[in-house]
């Protein structure tokens, strides 16, 4: 009996070689979710009555890209490549369809070692009117695939509902279609709370690394809480404030606020690039408010005194810069100390000591939300809704 148990265990160990376990055999909720199973009517999210947001140049280029397809000057290679990641992209609509599905063709496969594929390559779906949106589901598919179809909503009752579909954070999307029941009514979503866009330029943290799913990136959280379009111009490892990049940031149509949150990539060069970035934005948009945010606290700040000292020097430099600009008459530039956004237990708010987990992103969004609301109020763009 004992020898048979040992042989059975060895057999199971061989099947699970390398530590891999077919968890779906034990927990069906871990299994991928397939397509609708029924005939669906497929729609392009860039066509009315759907509202596509987060892609400021979509009408011009007809692609899911965060910067112009043909910028007037050469961009850094990393920025140009990362602009194809669809972070911050959203499709919103109202429908009485009992089912909602997506059919997707990605630019590549899931391949990140500290970020879930649901965040890197997945779409997630929220249901509800503005300020009442609630998460419903995320695409769960075989991550070796580039093309997949997933059912995201299935309800026995047909009634008009508002949906928001968030795009992947760290992968490009060659094509996406939204599947609804044949004959379902489709209407535009409710209007934004105000015209204009919040434009956030930053690093991997802005892009969404390492949220578990797209809706948890802080730019998407802000969009839900404020009911405003937020343009995510975070470029992983590559938010360095180059003037040619900032020129494109300033080229986003209809900005109501610029947020500069790129200290973590800029290093010592921030003292040179930040004043230059503000000058570029101010030349393009003399009255648009600009919010400068210093970097969040990293876990290494606890144990490495040099990291902490460098962060504090950089924070103080940014604070002095903004104070000097305000003293010279620019009352539309603001500073926020990012090291306070995660709270006292900031070390629990990241995946790897640097990149926020969902808790971290929720706290970043919460801290920025109150500052942004106050700035918009002071500049005549009051945003209604719950704080």
């Amino acid at each position: 009996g004992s020898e048979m148990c040992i042989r059975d265990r060895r057999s199971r160990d061989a099947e699970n070689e390398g530590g891999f376990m077919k968890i779906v055999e034990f927990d069906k909720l871990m299994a991928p979710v397939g397509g609708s199973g029924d005939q669906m009517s497929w729609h392009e999210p860039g066509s009315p009555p759907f509202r596509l947001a987060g892609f400021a140049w979509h009408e011009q280029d007809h692609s899911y890209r965060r910067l112009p397809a043909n910028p007037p000057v050469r961009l850094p290679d990393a920025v140009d490549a990362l602009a194809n990641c669809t972070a911050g992209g959203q499709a919103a609509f109202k429908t009485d369809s009992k089912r909602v599905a997506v059919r997707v063709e990605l630019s590549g496969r899931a391949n990140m070692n500290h970020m879930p594929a649901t965040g890197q390559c997945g779409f997630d779906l929220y249901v509800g009117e503005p300020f009442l949106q609630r998460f419903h589901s995320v695409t769960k598919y075989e991550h070796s695939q580039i093309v997949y179809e997933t059912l995201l909503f299935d309800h026995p009752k047909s009634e008009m509902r508002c949906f928001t579909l968030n795009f992947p954070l760290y992968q490009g999307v060659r094509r996406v279609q939204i599947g609804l029941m044949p004959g379902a009514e489709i209407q535009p979503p409710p209007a934004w709370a105000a015209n204009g866009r919040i434009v956030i330029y930053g690093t991997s943290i802005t892009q969404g690394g390492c949220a578990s799913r797209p809706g948890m990136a802080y730019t998407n959280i802000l969009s839900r809480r404020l009911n405003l379009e937020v343009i995510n111009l975070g470029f992983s490892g590559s938010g360095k404030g180059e003037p040619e990049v900032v020129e494109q940031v300033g080229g986003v149509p209809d900005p109501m606020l610029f947020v500069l949150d790129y200290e973590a990539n800029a290093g010592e060069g921030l003292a040179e690039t930040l004043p230059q970035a503000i000058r570029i934005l101010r030349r393009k948009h003399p009255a648009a408010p600009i919010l400068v945010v210093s970097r969040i606290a990293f876990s290494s700040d606890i144990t490495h005194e040099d990291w902490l000292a460098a962060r504090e020097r950089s924070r103080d430099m940014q604070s002095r810069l903004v104070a000097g600009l305000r003293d010279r008459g620019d009352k539309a530039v603001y500073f926020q100390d990012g090291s306070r956004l995660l709270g006292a237990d900031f070390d629990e708010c990241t995946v790897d000591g640097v990149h926020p987990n969902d808790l971290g992103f929720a706290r970043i969004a919460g801290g920025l939300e109150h500052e942004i609301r106050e700035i918009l109020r002071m500049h005549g763009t009051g945003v209604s809704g719950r704080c």
Side-chain angles (χ1 to χ4, degrees), residues 50-382:
F50 296 88
R51 183 184 68 199
L52 188 67
F55 303 106
W57 289 272
H58 184 268
E59 290 187 8
Q60 167 186 301
D61 298 328
H62 305 289
S63 67
Y64 302 119
R65 178 175 161 88
R66 295 181 293 148
L67 289 176
N70 297 295
V73 297
R74 181 181 175 86
L75 298 175
D77 290 344
V79 172
D80 189 56
L82 289 164
N84 292 315
C85 297
T86 56
Q90 298 178 358
F93 55 99
K94 294 185 75 170
T95 183
D96 61 357
S97 179
K98 294 190 291 185
R99 289 187 165 196
V100 177
V102 289
R103 180 183 287 169
V104 181
E105 181 182 0
L106 300 172
S107 297
R109 295 176 174 83
N111 59 3
M112 297 182 71
N113 59 17
H114 66 328
M115 181 171 178
T118 46
Q120 181 189 1
C121 300
F123 288 75
D124 67 9
L125 186 72
Y126 279 72
V127 183
E129 300 288 326
F131 306 113
L132 298 173
Q133 296 180 66
R134 301 299 297 265
F135 167 71
H136 184 74
S137 59
V138 67
T139 52
K140 294 161 62 178
Y141 70 100
E142 293 289 350
H143 299 145
S144 60
Q145 299 175 345
I146 291 178
V147 177
Y148 66 84
E149 179 183 324
T150 301
L151 181 65
L152 287 172
F153 183 82
D154 188 5
H155 198 282
K157 184 178 180 181
S158 174
E159 63 180 53
M160 192 61 66
R161 300 178 178 92
C162 188
F163 294 93
T164 300
L165 183 72
N166 293 301
F167 280 60
L169 300 172
Y170 265 79
Q171 189 54 270
V173 174
R174 291 175 180 162
R175 189 176 187 190
V176 57
Q177 293 179 308
I178 297 173
L180 305 175
M181 300 292 289
E185 184 179 357
I186 313 171
Q187 297 179 2
W192 296 115
N195 294 324
R197 293 155 160 157
I198 297 174
V199 183
I200 306 183
Y201 172 66
T203 66
S204 55
I205 295 170
T206 301
Q207 185 172 337
C210 293
S212 65
R213 51 182 178 78
M216 289 310 298
Y218 83 75
T219 60
N220 283 331
I221 297 174
L222 284 172
S223 181
R224 287 195 300 278
R225 292 184 179 180
L226 298 170
N227 189 30
L228 294 172
E229 183 175 7
V230 178
I231 303 295
N232 183 323
L233 294 180
F235 301 104
S236 191
S238 306
K240 299 179 180 179
E242 301 96 334
E244 62 271 27
V245 177
V246 179
E247 287 280 354
Q248 301 309 304
V249 174
V252 173
D254 304 319
M256 67 169 66
L257 169 68
F258 290 99
V259 180
L260 300 177
D261 180 20
Y262 72 96
E263 176 192 338
N265 285 169
E268 295 180 357
L270 185 69
E272 176 182 352
T273 63
L274 183 58
Q276 183 181 55
I278 294 173
R279 287 195 297 270
I280 291 171
L281 295 179
R282 188 54 75 230
R283 170 171 50 81
K284 287 177 168 287
H285 303 281
I290 299 170
L291 173 62
V292 175
V293 182
S294 63
R295 80 158 171 87
I296 61 173
F298 295 163
S299 294
S300 294
D301 294 346
I302 299 173
T303 54
H304 292 62
E305 294 180 359
D306 53 339
W307 281 61
L308 175 60
R311 173 172 63 73
E312 292 178 340
R313 286 195 303 271
S314 184
R315 176 201 61 197
D316 294 344
M317 179 276 292
Q318 294 171 80
S319 178
R320 288 194 302 270
L321 171 64
V322 169
L325 290 170
R326 293 182 64 85
D327 288 343
R328 292 191 292 274
D330 189 345
K331 302 301 184 182
V333 61
Y334 302 86
F335 173 74
Q336 185 166 10
D337 182 357
S339 68
R340 299 181 178 182
L341 290 172
L342 297 182
D345 58 344
F346 59 87
D347 51 306
E348 297 286 10
C349 295
T350 71
V351 170
D352 54 6
V354 173
H355 298 95
N357 53 30
D358 292 354
L359 172 62
F361 278 124
R363 291 187 179 177
I364 291 172
L368 291 178
E369 176 189 358
H370 296 287
E371 184 74 13
I372 288 172
R373 283 184 182 275
E374 182 62 16
I375 291 172
L376 295 180
R377 184 192 64 80
M378 289 189 291
H379 290 269
T381 314

